[in-house]
């Protein structure tokens, strides 16, 4: 019989995970998640497969690993002649990444990583032990050597670094650094049910200070689990970043009125759909290609006591879903690299490839061209992406205006960067706030007399 395992330290105290979960177990789950990302799966999907009791701690560890994965890979390359099997590589890179931080005492981390290896890949446990102990002995010199590689220095793929240098020569270092930190938690108050002032006061009374921004936004001083937000299940509030909260005010400022026929062409998970319905009574059709993700839109609307027609469809295949009635407004939150939300999804940088950007730009063009004819004369098309890359933002609108020179570009934020605080131009008294990386363009179709 195998020897009884020695008592293991509990999960990270900083994350508030259950004390009954040993660290070796979380490291094993973290290795599962990291190896899944390294094989091309999203971290969200990998964490969904994690047992519920281990998920919070595993997420905390895997987020930390994703933010240091470039350095960890470089260190593993210096320490191991041949790349290990996928799970062992996930464990080794996880342990190296965490050993570069302060989540745990280094020797505790090594002991628990070896324990995880003994339980899931015993033949590799000796190698894991030797590699990690060598790292502890030579830590500073190994890190200095690894960081000669820009991907290890900045913990982003080289093509990503170079694209930001080209697009944002004054901000690229700050943008890369920002992705190493968690984004603040931001809320959108459902003003059909509560005033922003009243909800902010309730948070304050519960010991959760915040500051207001925009027409319905609050940014918390410290993040909370969603279930601890007062009135969340009753529909009083939603979690939504400040940049995403720009969509509805832009349409209202441009004159969208009650009763308008509106299409949200790529609606999941439903934040922009819900915000517009909270602000104005419109006839809303919410599309998404993913029927499973579209269920989240239905769930969000039900929680907020709102209604819209939802349909699973590819917005670019208009013959399959359009009823022939033109829309007064179309929101196109187009599929993109998600390079603007890496603070919230730190695996994105490791899943994207440079070639993806050209393919995504082609999809964005196809959607713009397909949806423009569905817009009524005088109607509004709001194009947005959660991307930092200009190829997915201003370059797409410039190209579209070449194809549709009669389209009128209205005032819009353009590119928003998470390292700059922006006041909302439609609400000049609002507090400036820094949200996710985003791009907005607002176009008006000419009236019949102008065509």
């Amino acid at each position: 019989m195998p020897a009884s395992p020695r008592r293991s330290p509990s999960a990270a105290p900083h994350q508030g995970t259950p004390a009954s979960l040993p660290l070796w177990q979380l490291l094993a789950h973290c290795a599962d998640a990291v190896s899944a990302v390294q094989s091309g799966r999203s971290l969200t999907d990998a964490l969904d497969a994690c047992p519920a009791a281990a998920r919070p701690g595993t997420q905390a560890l895997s987020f930390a690993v994703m933010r240091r994965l470039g350095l960890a890979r470089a260190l593993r390359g210096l320490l191991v002649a041949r790349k290990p099997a996928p799970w062992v590589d996930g464990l080794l890179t996880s342990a190296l990444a965490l050993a570069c931080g302060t989540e745990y005492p280094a020797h505790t981390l090594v002991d628990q990583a070896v324990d995880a290896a003994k339980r899931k890949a015993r033949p590799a446990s000796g190698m894991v032990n030797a590699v990690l102990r060598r790292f502890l002995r030579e830590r500073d010199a190994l890190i200095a050597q690894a960081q000669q590689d820009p991907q290890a220095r900045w913990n982003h793929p080289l093509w990503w670094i170079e694209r930001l240098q080209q697009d944002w020569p004054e901000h690229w270092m700050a943008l890369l650094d920002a992705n190493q930190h968690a984004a603040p938690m931001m809320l959108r108050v459902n003003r059909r049910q509560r005033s922003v002032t009243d909800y902010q006061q309730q948070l304050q009374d519960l010991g959760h200070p915040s500051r207001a921004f925009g027409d319905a936004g609050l940014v918390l001083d410290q993040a909370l689990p969603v279930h601890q937000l007062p009135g969340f299940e009753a529909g009083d509030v939603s979690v939504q970043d400040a940049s995403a909260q720009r969509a509805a005010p832009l349409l209202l400022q441009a004159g969208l009125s009650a009763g308008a026929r509106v299409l949200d062409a790529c609606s999941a998970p439903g934040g922009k759909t819900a915000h517009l319905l909270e602000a104005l009574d419109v006839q809303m059709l919410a599309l998404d290609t993913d029927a499973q993700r579209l269920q989240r839109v239905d769930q969000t609307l039900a929680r907020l006591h709102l209604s819209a027609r939802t349909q699973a469809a590819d917005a670019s295949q208009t013959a399959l879903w359009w009823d022939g009635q033109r829309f007064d407004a179309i929101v196109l939150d187009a599929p993109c690299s998600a390079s603007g939300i890496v603070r919230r999804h730190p695996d994105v940088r490791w899943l994207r490839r440079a070639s993806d950007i050209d393919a995504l730009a082609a999809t964005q063009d196809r959607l713009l061209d397909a949806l423009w004819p569905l817009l009524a004369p005088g109607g509004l098309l709001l194009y947005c992406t959660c991307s930092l890359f200009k190829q997915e933002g201003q370059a797409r609108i410039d190209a579209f205006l070449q194809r549709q020179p009669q389209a009128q570009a209205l005032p819009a934020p353009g590119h928003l960067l998470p390292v700059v605080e922006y006041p909302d131009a439609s609400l000049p008294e609002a507090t400036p706030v820094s949200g996710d990386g985003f791009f907005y363009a607002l176009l008006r179709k000419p009236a019949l007399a102008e065509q």
Side-chain angles (χ1 to χ4, degrees), residues 12 69 88-89 101 146 160 182 205 233 269 291 298 307 309 317 335 344 364 368 387 408 418:
L69 189 58
V88 176
D89 187 44
W160 189 301
D205 292 343
E233 293 300 332
D298 291 324
S307 62
R309 186 162 70 90
Q317 302 295 316
R344 303 180 190 280
Q364 293 149 10
L368 282 164
S387 175
Q408 178 189 3

Side-chain angles (χ1 to χ4, degrees), residues 130-170:
V131 168
L132 294 179
R133 293 197 182 281
R134 179 188 166 195
F135 171 74
L136 296 190
R137 292 193 303 271
E138 304 174 28
R139 183 181 188 278
D140 292 346
L142 285 166
I143 290 176
Q145 184 178 353
Q147 286 186 334
Q148 293 176 23
D149 178 355
Q151 296 180 103
R153 165 67 180 86
W154 295 105
N155 285 292
H156 287 73
L158 183 60
W159 70 266
W160 189 301
I161 297 168
E162 291 173 345
R163 187 174 285 266
L164 289 184
Q165 288 173 330
Q166 177 182 329
D167 284 354
W168 305 107
E170 295 182 2

Side-chain angles (χ1 to χ4, degrees), residues 155-231:
N155 285 292
H156 287 73
L158 183 60
W159 70 266
W160 189 301
I161 297 168
E162 291 173 345
R163 187 174 285 266
L164 289 184
Q165 288 173 330
Q166 177 182 329
D167 284 354
W168 305 107
E170 295 182 2
H171 296 292
W172 69 272
M173 287 188 287
L175 290 169
L176 293 170
D177 182 66
N179 286 343
Q180 300 303 94
H181 306 280
M185 187 173 187
M186 300 183 182
L187 310 178
R188 186 190 74 246
V189 178
N190 182 356
R191 293 184 300 155
R192 286 184 179 266
Q193 298 185 186
R194 300 285 300 274
S195 74
V196 176
T197 302
D198 287 347
Y199 192 83
Q200 185 178 24
Q201 185 60 55
Q202 183 177 9
L203 287 174
Q204 180 68 42
D205 292 343
L206 293 171
H208 307 304
S210 63
R211 61 187 178 108
F213 65 87
D215 67 336
L218 294 171
V219 55
L220 295 174
D221 286 4
Q222 288 195 324
L224 286 174
V226 169
H227 68 270
Q228 291 185 21
L229 292 172

Side-chain angles (χ1 to χ4, degrees), residues 243-395:
S243 294
Q245 291 189 43
R246 295 295 192 95
L250 280 167
L251 290 169
L252 296 177
Q253 183 187 24
L256 188 68
S257 58
R261 181 173 159 83
V262 179
L263 168 68
D264 191 344
C266 305
S267 61
K272 297 179 186 66
T273 303
H275 190 188
L276 188 54
L277 288 168
E278 288 171 1
L280 194 66
D281 290 316
V282 297
Q283 302 174 56
M284 176 71 74
L285 171 61
L287 299 183
D288 203 86
T289 57
D290 188 329
Q292 189 170 10
R293 278 172 51 83
L294 196 63
Q295 292 179 4
R296 292 184 60 191
V297 180
D298 291 324
Q299 293 163 0
T300 294
L301 295 176
R303 181 179 63 83
L304 297 170
H305 312 291
L306 302 168
S307 62
R309 186 162 70 90
T310 59
Q311 184 174 347
D314 181 343
S316 68
Q317 302 295 316
T318 58
L320 300 180
W321 60 266
W322 186 42
D323 62 6
Q325 298 183 54
R326 292 188 175 184
F327 296 95
D328 300 300
I330 296 174
V331 179
L332 175 54
D333 187 354
C336 72
S337 64
S339 55
I341 58 172
V342 176
R343 297 183 303 171
R344 303 180 190 280
H345 298 278
D347 58 320
V348 165
R349 71 191 97 175
W350 306 116
L351 295 173
R352 292 284 178 261
R353 300 292 179 266
S355 58
D356 293 341
I357 309 307
D358 288 340
L360 287 163
T363 297
Q364 293 149 10
D365 287 344
R366 185 173 69 252
L367 284 162
L368 282 164
D369 291 341
L371 294 174
W372 185 251
L374 278 56
L375 197 61
L380 301 166
L381 190 150
L382 180 64
Y383 171 82
C384 53
T385 59
C386 55
S387 175
L388 296 173
F389 303 143
K390 291 186 177 181
Q391 188 175 348
E392 298 184 281
Q394 191 60 54

